Each structure stands twice: as C-alpha cells, then as structure tokens.
Amino acid sequence: MARKPDLRRFPGFLAVTLLCLFLLYAPLVIVAIYSFNDSPSITLWGGVSLRWYEDVFWGLEADKFKRAAINSLTIAAAAATTATVIATMAATAMLRAGQFRGRSFSFGLISLPLMVPEIVTAVATLIFFSAIGFQTGILSILIAHIVFCIPFAYLPIAARMEGIEDVYEQAAQDLYATKWQAFRLILLPLMTPGIVSGFLLAFIISLDDFIITNFVKGAGVETLPTAIFGAVKQGIKPNIMAISTLLLMVSITFVTLSYFAGRMGQNRKSNPTGET
Amino acid sequence: MAGLGPTGGRAARTYAGRGPLLILPAWVIIGIFLVLPILIMATYSFLTKEFRGGVIWEPTLAAYDQFFFDRGLFGDEQPKIEWTYILIFWRSIWQAGLATLLCLLIGFPTAWFIATRPAHSRTVWLFLITVPYWVNLLIRTISMKFLIRDNGPMNQWLLNAGLIDEPIHIINTNLAVQLGLFYSYLPFMVLPIYAAVERYNFALSEAAADLYASRWVTLTQVIIPVVKPGIIAGCILVFVPSLGAFLAPDLLGGAKNFMIGSLIEEQFKGAAGNWPFGAAAAMILLSMVLIVLIVYARNQDRESA
Amino acid sequence: MKTLKTAASALALSLMASVATAEGKLSIYHWFEYIPQELLDKFAAEYDVEVTLDTYDSNEALLAALKAGKLGQYDVAVPGDYMVEILGNEGMLDTFTDDEMPNKGNILPQWADVSFDPGRKSSIPYQWGSTSFSVNRDVYSGNIQTTDIIFNPPEELKGKINVLDTAGETLTFASLHLGIPQCSTDREQLKALNDLVQNAKANWASFGSDVAKDVLVSGDAAAGMIWNGFGMKAREEGANIEYAYPDQGYIVWMDNVVLLKDAPNRDNALKFMNFLLEPENAAAVTNYARYTAGVAGVEPFLDEALKTAPELNPPAGGNPQFVQACPEEVQKVYDTIWTNLKK
C-alpha cells in the first residue's frame, strides 16, 4: 500500500499554509476588531461601539482626513486613468505592431519603476523637482504616481492582449475597417477586462503609496497614507484603527472587483489573465 | 509576470508601423520622470554639501569619501576604512536575507500546497494569499506593530492564558523588522513558486518513487532543482524591496539600527540634510539591486538557452 | 470610455478649482502635536481663511526642509530660540513693523527683546518650556535627579530608554552631563562627548521625538528624554512617570512664531501671529500643549492643573541652559558626532 502514496502531498504543508494565512490576516483582523473598541485606551477592551468611526467622520480631525482622502482619491483616479491609457497604447505597440526599433528596450523601460527600489525613486524624483525648480504640490505627487502606476497597469493589460488572437482585427480590416476602427470596435471591447483590471490595480497602488508621496508632497498637501503616518508616529490611536479598517475594506473591494474583472470573459478560454 | 516581454507571444502586426508612436507616451513619461531624475541624482552625488543643508555646484567625491573612509571626528586624520555605512548596508542585506529565508520557509510549502489543489479551489487560495498585499503597506506595518508590542494583544492574551510570565519583547528588535519585512512581501515569494510548481511534471516524482526515493530525497533531489527558477524569482522579489525598506525599520525597529532606507531618508527628510551623501547612498543601493537583477537575467538566459 | 473621459475632465476641473481658491489661505509649518485643532478652526472661522498645517519633529528638520525648497511655500513656522537665530542668519525670515502687530504689547517683558531676535522684528513668543527626561516609577524607584539616568543608566532602565531625535537638544544634554561648555572647540572635550553618546547608545531602545510620549504611555520605554509639557501629557494619559530636573542641568527653550521670507500669504500670517498674541488664544495653546505662554494675561484662561504640575514648576536653583547656535567649525563636528551616533 505504501507503493503508491499521493506524491503531491507532503505532511505538514497544509499546516504551514494555514499558518501563512494566519500570519497574513491576524494583524489586520485584530486591528479591525479593536477599531470597534469602546475604550479610549487602545489596549483595554471596553465593549463594542462605533464611536471611533463617528470620530473619523465628524470628529475634530475629520476635516484633515477628509481633505487627505479627497487628495488620495483624486490623485489615484487621475494617475490610474493616465497610466492605463499609456499602458494600453504601450501594450498595443509591444504586442500588435510587429518589430520596431527600441521594442526590446521598451519592455525594460516599462518595468523599470518595478525594479528601482522605491526609496531611490523617491529621492530621485525629489531631487529632480528641486533641480528644475518645480514647486511641489498635488501635481508633483500625481506625476510621480503616474510613473510607477504604468507597469502595474501594463501587466494585466498585456496579459489580456496576449490572449486575444489578432484574427478578429484582421477580419475587420479585410472588411475595410480602418486601423482605428479595428482598434476601437474590435480590440478595445475584447480588452475591457484587462483594462479594468489594470486600472484598478494602478488605482490601488497609487492609493497605497507612502514613501514616494512623502518625499514629493508639497506644503499643506497630505494623502491618506502620509496623514496616517503623521498621526501614528505619536501613537496608534483608536481613530487610526478605524481609518485603517475603512481603507482595508476599500482595498479588498477593489482587489475583488479587479479579480472578477480579470476573470470576466475568461471562461471560454483558459488563458491566464490578470493574475500578477 | 513571465512571458509578457518582447519575446513572449506571437508578434502580431495589426498596427505595424505605429509601434513607435504608441510606445512614445510611456517612453516620454518614464524617461523624463524616472530615468532623467536618476541621472540628476547621480550628478548630485558628486556635488558639494552646503553647510546646514543644500548643495553647491562644485564637483567633489566627498559624498563617496564619507561613505567609504573615516577621517576621524575632525576630518584631519589618516583615512581608515569607514565600516559604519558598510555595516548599515550589510545589516540591510542580512535583515533582507533573513526575511527572504523566512518567506521561503513558509512560502514554499504554501505555494506547493496551493498548486496541488484542484483547479477551481486554487484560485480561491491564491486570492486569499494576494489580498493582504493590496492592503496599504503602512497599515499592515502599523497592525504588526500594534499586535506585537509589549502591551499589545498578543502579549496580553499569552499572559492571560498563563503561557508566559512576562511579555515577549519583540518591538524595536531586529526580529520585529524581519517579521515586518516577511509580512510585507510574502505574497511575492508564493506567486512565482506557485507558477513553477503548477508546471511541474509529477511523472518525475513518480519515477523517483519507483526508484525507491524517499519523499525527502524526491523533494531535495528532484522537485527543488526543477522549480528552482521559481524559487530564485521569489527570493529576488522579496529581497530587492526588503533591501530598501523604510517603514518596517522605522516603525518596528525603533529607528535605532539604521537600514539603507532609513539612512537615505534621514538625509532628505530628517535633520541631516546632506543631499549629496543621500544621493550617493541611493546610487550605491541602486547599483547593488541592478547587479542582482543582471546576474539573475544572465542566469535565466543561460538556463533557457 | 465615455465615463472615463467624464471622470478625467471632472478631475481636471477639481484640480484647477483647488488652485483657483488660493486666496484666503494660511500655510503653517509647525511642531507636531503642539496646537489644538479648535484654535486653528477658530482662526479660520474668524478671518475666513483656509488653514493647512504641516508638522516637523526637530528644529534641524525644519531648517533642512526650508533649505530643500520649502521656503516660499509656508507662511509661518515655529522654531526654537537658537533656530530663530540660525534662520535669521540664513536670511530665511521676513520682518514686520510694530503697526503690523497690534498685540505686540501683550508680550511678557522678559520675552519682548531677546538675543536671538533683537527687538522682535521677525518673531513673536509662542511657548517656553524645558527639556529633560521622565522615568517610569513602577520600573525604577531610585534617584532620578541625575543625567546618569540617560547616559549611565541603572540596571532596571538599561535597554528601555528613548532619546529625542533632535541633534541640538540631545548633544547639549550630553554636554551638561559631562559638564563641558556648549560649542566647545576643545578636541578632548569633543572626543569625550562623542565617546559618551556612543557608549550610552547601547542602553537606548530607540530614537524618537514624535513617539516620545507614546513610548512612555504604552510602556515600550521606561525612561525617555522629553519636553516638560509633553511629559505632563504622558503622565495625564496614565503613565506613572516623574519628570526630572537633574542636578547637572537641563535645557530651557522658547519656541517662537516667525514670519518666513517669501510667505505666500503674508497678510494672513501677520493676522495669525497677532491672533496668537491674544491671551485667550495663547492660553488655549498652553492648555493643549502643557507648556508656558510668553504672553501676559493668560492666567484667567488656564487649566487649574497647570498651576501645580511638577513639570511646569521647576525647583529653585537648578541649572537651566539655552541651546546655543554654534559656529560652523564646531557645528560640523557636532554633525559628525550625531551622524556617527545615528548610524
């Protein structure tokens, strides 16, 4: 009977996997639980309440966090939109335009923001703005975000485009569609899941960035992460836990959406799409 | 992430000739706002620091000299090798290395377990592993700090349960930083190994078993060599960002034992205000990372050739 | 795609809108956790001004940020005494006339004419206080009136000490411990200073200014260098700590609101400074930050607790010292010592 054991199974691997998930989720779950703590002390449990959520929305610092949230969402939406457009064009160039000069170099350039350590990008961008005398503010954050959003938007978009054969566009062109019509009416609709997925990932990445934003933000401009960091340096307070829990839920919602967008229309084919 | 490069896939030609035009925006944006800034940063690393911060446009090697040579408190002694910054880099490599090892020890069994599930439950497991990555890194680090501090929930429960007599002191230690890094980048380890295991041909295991190889021997002699590319990719994806990490050492390590990220940050955001030195340290970090990536790419080419 | 386009144009509009309302603004660069939000809201409402506040955690960080291009983005900042002098020498301060500051007469006589800003041409007093350390009395019950607690700690406190991440104050405190003069050019003394902090570092758990209160309240540290008011807040938040006035000496300081050069909203900056010279408003800062105001007539508005707080009532006959702005050649050595320490 020991002749044919299940070779896929290793004893203890399930336990390690569960441990792994436990390690990943335990801190988040605990912060979420403590955000409902009624006690002003963060370590003692004083019953369940929503008072810290009230504090976030209507408390003294509500204005500050509201402004930061608006900045964060504005920048994320603008950066993700721009990066998605650029990435879609780039993916079309890389996967649909045959060979051209600089094509192999281009992939390296697009993935460069992923390879350069974040702190280096932050420093370089700060020095750049300072050297050209560009006053830091919302715009400087936006520019920096567009740069590092491009590869995150590109990867799911390119993965999707690779999975779509070009026969449809060829057929359209055989029927006298212009290149632009073939792109807009054939390729783009087929690409939608990849584009949505790329946009959402870029959005989340922008929303989450702390290090680069912290370096290039201007006077009086905060995003949620920099505002949270500023507050948390003086101690982890219950209202920070409430904000964190809210942000956590936003992130999870977006990843779930992205996940389903990536799977959309994928049922007929088994191409791996959108899973980075 | 594999297979998306210029060599991946069939080169369709629907928009032949439009390539340069379509790629132009990406070139312009990344060229102007990343490549050019890195070049300017390189230039700054050779400029003179002004007293009390700022730079003077006079070329000098002072920043690199400060990094590698110790000229005493008053700057007039015979230069000796300056070990402190090398030590900071070494500490970063060590911390990042241990975090990578920790990720590997937990990540490999996890990736293996997930890859050997039936197809439909695999995606759910993968999804569960990736979700935390998308949660704000700052919030994850804060959560970790809250959990492990001396008066935090973990110690309280252990104390209440009578398992320990006094709190386990983790916060502000190297272990805390390693835990933080591990927690930050674990999904990066799982995903590439998962991809490699998924492609693994189990006939190899069967062949090994037929030759009376034990499970352990099969794992070390057959499986690991085959999925090695995935393991190496995972290690790089964890190691590289860990090397330049800022939040984990700052929030979990008590900002006492500097890592590269904190050293660089201090030059720009902190009180030090030494831009040329910060730029030089960033250049050295960047060179190290690029060397790792180039060696990796070379090996990839050799193995696929 | 249509929705994307709409979203993009809406965003562009909102971005421009936030630029267009630049009138009626005030941009403050301030120490962290030092001014109550209510007071900012009050000013904003009274003068119809949109107030933004950024924070820093040391005088040196303020200087570095202004040097790095933030000058011209902020209207006012709150440097300590010696940093006012440095900013002035660097040409980073604007001046105002007495007519522009109607409440200037409210300044207490001892702060009305100061060496770091003769005649108060660029600054007004904000709050003053001291820098020393607090010790958790549950952990250590021995004598704490000595700088040994930080630089040569008893067994109970080893590895449980937080030190302020501010070069000026921490090195001055170390000089007091050694009994050497500030800005000493004596090589042996500077070497001794370097050795002292290098050796003491082994007993320190962390460097941090913004965390100074939290580490004491949460118990992450059992002793910590801290400012008197911040230490009082820590005690009021439940830490069983005592603030020390060591025999070797302690630091006193006066923080000042300065008018920055190239202030984008100079008029509002002056209104704000004048507003802070109102006794009621100065008292609001004192009640919040637990330091002592430099304005006359605040007493009726002050919390009862402040009158008896040990943090605010130093024993007579101590050795309070202001931090001095050192000449370049000494400051460079200090910078090296600090860099050696932090790395």
Side-chain angles (χ1 to χ4, degrees):
Chain A
M1 57 164 276
R3 188 74 189 87
K4 273 265 168 192
D6 185 352
L7 294 163
R8 290 157 182 269
R9 275 176 204 281
F10 279 86
F13 277 22
L14 171 63
V16 175
T17 307
L18 293 178
L19 173 72
C20 178
L21 286 175
F22 176 78
L23 287 171
L24 286 175
Y25 284 91
L28 299 176
V29 170
I30 282 169
V31 163
I33 292 173
Y34 272 79
S35 72
F36 293 102
N37 187 359
D38 193 33
S39 155
S41 150
I42 59 161
T43 39
L44 299 174
W45 182 255
V48 178
S49 98
L50 287 173
R51 62 184 281 199
W52 301 113
Y53 289 88
E54 276 171 37
D55 187 70
V56 167
F57 286 104
W58 294 285
L60 259 183
E61 288 179 307
D63 264 356
K64 186 175 95 185
F65 284 117
K66 227 176 270 169
R67 260 205 301 256
I70 290 171
N71 281 343
S72 270
L73 292 172
T74 314
I75 291 166
T81 309
T82 318
T84 306
V85 171
I86 292 173
T88 308
M89 291 171 71
T92 314
M94 297 294 288
L95 298 168
R96 283 291 198 271
Q99 268 304 336
F100 58 91
R101 274 183 70 184
R103 179 168 176 260
S104 50
F105 175 72
S106 297
F107 182 71
L109 197 69
I110 290 170
S111 41
L112 190 64
L114 289 179
M115 296 191 281
V116 177
E118 239 187 320
I119 187 95
V120 175
T121 308
V123 165
T125 316
L126 171 69
I127 293 181
F128 171 71
F129 283 133
S130 154
I132 64 168
F134 186 93
Q135 199 178 57
T136 50
I138 285 209
L139 199 59
S140 57
I141 306 179
L142 179 60
I143 290 170
H145 280 216
I146 290 172
V147 172
F148 67 73
C149 280
I150 289 175
F152 283 97
Y154 177 84
L155 290 172
I157 291 173
R160 175 78 189 177
M161 201 180 281
E162 258 195 333
I164 300 170
E165 292 182 54
D166 61 345
V167 288
Y168 307 109
E169 298 142 77
Q170 301 290 4
Q173 282 182 302
D174 288 345
L175 297 167
Y176 304 104
T178 62
K179 281 182 178 178
W180 170 242
Q181 283 171 327
F183 178 78
R184 193 166 57 92
L185 300 173
I186 310 292
L187 185 57
L188 216 49
L190 285 170
M191 285 294 303
T192 308
I195 292 177
V196 170
S197 173
F199 173 83
L200 292 174
L201 293 192
F203 189 90
I204 285 269
I205 286 288
S206 163
L207 202 62
D208 280 2
D209 179 74
F210 166 73
I211 295 179
I212 294 173
T213 311
N214 191 35
F215 269 74
V216 301
K217 75 192 173 83
V221 181
E222 298 271 15
T223 64
L224 267 183
T226 63
I228 292 175
F229 184 78
V232 91
K233 285 293 269 184
Q234 290 143 46
I236 305 174
K237 302 206 180 69
N239 63 338
I240 294 299
M241 295 200 193
I243 294 181
S244 298
T245 308
L246 289 170
L247 212 51
L248 186 98
M249 292 195 301
V250 171
S251 295
I252 289 176
T253 311
F254 268 79
V255 182
T256 313
L257 282 178
S258 163
Y259 173 76
F260 284 112
R263 287 172 57 102
M264 219 159 61
Q266 196 198 328
N267 299 333
R268 273 188 310 134
K269 303 172 105 200
S270 57
N271 278 311
T273 315
E275 281 157 20
T276 52
Chain B
M1 280 197 225
L4 300 178
T7 48
R10 192 164 62 86
R13 310 184 41 86
T14 324
Y15 309 101
R18 300 282 163 84
L21 197 69
L22 288 166
I23 201 83
L24 190 69
W27 273 63
V28 168
I29 294 279
I30 297 178
I32 295 182
F33 297 113
L34 185 60
V35 178
L36 182 63
I38 289 175
L39 296 177
I40 295 180
M41 178 178 80
T43 315
Y44 263 61
S45 72
F46 294 104
L47 294 183
T48 308
K49 172 195 189 273
E50 199 188 323
F51 178 53
R52 301 199 198 284
V55 291
I56 307 169
W57 281 82
E58 273 170 29
T60 170
L61 285 170
Y64 292 93
D65 184 271
Q66 184 186 343
F67 193 96
F68 291 109
F69 297 107
D70 174 15
R71 289 172 191 276
L73 207 49
F74 308 99
D76 55 2
E77 291 168 26
Q78 276 299 313
K80 289 176 296 199
I81 299 282
E82 169 69 274
W83 287 106
T84 30
Y85 299 115
I86 298 172
L87 217 67
I88 289 176
F89 271 64
W90 172 244
R91 183 188 296 138
S92 304
I93 294 170
W94 175 249
Q95 297 272 51
L98 282 178
T100 310
L101 194 67
L102 206 57
C103 281
L104 183 61
L105 285 178
I106 298 212
F108 180 83
T110 306
W112 179 275
F113 177 80
I114 294 175
T116 53
R117 294 298 93 198
H120 56 94
S121 68
R122 243 183 262 171
T123 45
V124 177
W125 282 102
L126 266 188
F127 181 67
L128 285 174
I129 292 283
T130 38
V131 164
Y133 172 68
W134 298 109
V135 174
N136 197 314
L137 178 60
L138 174 62
I139 288 179
R140 281 184 289 154
T141 313
I142 294 171
S143 310
M144 181 62 102
K145 177 174 178 156
F146 176 65
L147 180 66
I148 63 174
R149 63 203 292 175
D150 289 3
N151 296 342
M154 185 187 78
N155 273 316
Q156 280 185 345
W157 290 336
L158 290 175
L159 281 171
N160 290 344
L163 291 171
I164 52 174
D165 293 327
E166 59 182 80
I168 308 172
H169 183 70
I170 303 178
I171 195 81
N172 293 343
T173 65
N174 286 341
L175 179 63
V177 178
Q178 287 151 19
L179 269 179
L181 292 175
F182 158 76
Y183 183 41
S184 305
Y185 304 115
L186 179 66
F188 287 180
M189 181 65 83
V190 174
L191 295 176
I193 298 182
Y194 162 81
V197 173
E198 204 186 24
R199 286 195 298 270
Y200 175 72
N201 183 352
F202 279 91
L204 293 173
S205 290
E206 276 165 35
D210 288 344
L211 296 168
Y212 301 104
S214 70
R215 231 175 246 281
W216 179 245
V217 170
T218 311
L219 181 68
T220 53
Q221 304 292 320
V222 181
I223 296 171
I224 289 184
V226 173
V227 300
K228 201 175 80 186
I231 293 177
I232 294 175
C235 288
I236 286 183
L237 286 178
V238 174
F239 184 76
V240 166
S242 298
L243 206 54
F246 167 72
L247 285 175
D250 191 71
L251 289 174
L252 298 170
K256 192 178 81 155
N257 290 319
F258 265 30
M259 281 178 59
I260 304 173
S262 357
L263 176 72
I264 297 174
E265 201 259 5
E266 170 88 359
Q267 308 306 319
F268 293 91
K269 302 291 290 181
N274 192 341
W275 283 35
F277 183 69
M283 284 308 293
I284 295 169
L285 171 62
L286 183 61
S287 319
M288 279 168 44
V289 168
L290 289 183
I291 288 170
V292 171
L293 291 175
I294 288 168
V295 168
Y296 170 67
R298 282 253 175 103
N299 280 337
Q300 285 285 92
D301 287 351
R302 207 181 310 144
E303 266 168 34
S304 60
Chain C
M1 262 296 138
K2 215 173 217 169
T3 41
L4 275 185
K5 245 189 233 164
T6 326
S9 46
L11 278 169
L13 274 177
S14 69
L15 276 175
M16 278 189 286
S18 64
V19 175
T21 54
E23 266 180 350
K25 280 197 168 183
L26 176 68
S27 183
I28 307 171
Y29 203 24
H30 204 298
W31 284 88
F32 64 92
E33 204 172 334
Y34 200 170
I35 190 162
Q37 185 62 42
E38 292 93 335
L39 192 64
L40 294 174
D41 293 345
K42 182 181 167 192
F43 176 78
E46 239 170 69
Y47 294 89
D48 191 24
V49 166
E50 189 193 334
V51 179
T52 55
L53 176 87
D54 279 353
T55 61
Y56 52 85
D57 64 359
S58 75
N59 281 312
E60 287 74 17
L62 162 68
L63 175 66
L66 291 178
K67 273 269 182 181
K70 288 281 164 72
L71 192 68
Q73 296 198 33
Y74 294 110
D75 300 305
V76 294
V78 189
D81 39 76
Y82 71 102
M83 194 47 70
V84 175
E85 189 179 334
I86 292 172
L87 293 181
N89 292 341
E90 291 278 323
M92 290 178 160
L93 302 182
D94 196 359
T95 55
F96 51 83
T97 63
D98 286 1
D99 301 339
E100 288 177 308
M101 197 65 61
N103 286 339
K104 204 172 170 186
N106 292 353
I107 299 177
L108 280 171
Q110 69 262 41
W111 302 118
D113 188 23
V114 284
S115 62
F116 50 82
D117 181 20
R120 288 281 183 194
K121 300 257 183 281
S122 307
S123 70
I124 58 156
Y126 189 58
Q127 302 276 310
W128 64 273
S130 64
T131 311
S132 176
F133 55 86
S134 285
V135 179
N136 188 323
R137 284 315 213 162
D138 294 335
V139 179
Y140 181 69
S141 53
N143 173 33
I144 62 165
Q145 307 302 340
T146 165
T147 45
D148 279 337
I149 294 287
I150 301 295
F151 298 104
N152 184 20
E155 214 47 53
E156 294 94 322
L157 296 175
K158 278 186 179 166
K160 295 174 186 162
I161 297 170
N162 178 61
V163 172
L164 289 180
D165 194 358
T166 64
E169 287 172 291
T170 300
L171 291 182
T172 302
F173 207 58
S175 301
L176 287 171
H177 175 75
L178 286 176
I180 58 175
Q182 288 187 55
C183 303
S184 163
T185 50
D186 183 293
R187 287 189 156 220
E188 291 311 313
Q189 291 183 343
L190 286 167
K191 268 191 189 142
L193 184 66
N194 186 47
D195 293 345
L196 173 72
V197 289
Q198 281 294 337
N199 294 331
K201 186 187 175 185
N203 297 320
W204 297 344
S206 51
F207 280 105
S209 303
D210 36 20
V211 298
K213 181 183 74 179
D214 184 57
V215 290
L216 290 172
V217 176
S218 70
D220 286 352
M225 278 183 67
I226 200 161
W227 301 288
N228 60 337
F230 213 33
M232 180 172 174
K233 287 179 95 168
R235 180 169 57 79
E236 289 174 328
E237 284 178 25
N240 179 22
I241 53 172
E242 184 179 339
Y243 186 76
Y245 292 98
D247 300 335
Q248 292 90 335
Y250 55 92
I251 296 168
V252 281
W253 44 259
M254 150 126 293
D255 285 334
N256 310 271
V257 187
V258 295
L259 180 62
L260 290 169
K261 203 181 140 213
D262 301 330
N265 314 289
R266 190 174 182 276
D267 287 348
N268 289 334
L270 289 169
K271 280 181 200 160
F272 182 65
M273 290 166 82
N274 200 50
F275 173 83
L276 288 176
L277 286 176
E278 296 281 352
E280 189 183 348
N281 301 331
V285 177
T286 298
N287 286 336
Y288 175 78
R290 302 316 213 185
Y291 300 114
T292 309
V295 172
V298 294
E299 288 74 15
F301 305 102
L302 291 184
D303 285 354
E304 207 48 38
L306 294 168
K307 287 177 188 153
T308 52
E311 289 87 353
L312 302 189
N313 297 287
N319 177 23
Q321 295 280 338
F322 277 94
V323 176
Q324 291 168 20
C326 297
E328 181 167 349
E329 79 261 24
V330 181
Q331 188 57 48
K332 277 189 169 157
V333 181
Y334 277 6
D335 287 349
T336 311
I337 294 177
W338 187 249
T339 316
N340 281 338
L341 181 64
K342 286 294 297 287
K343 67 202 178 184

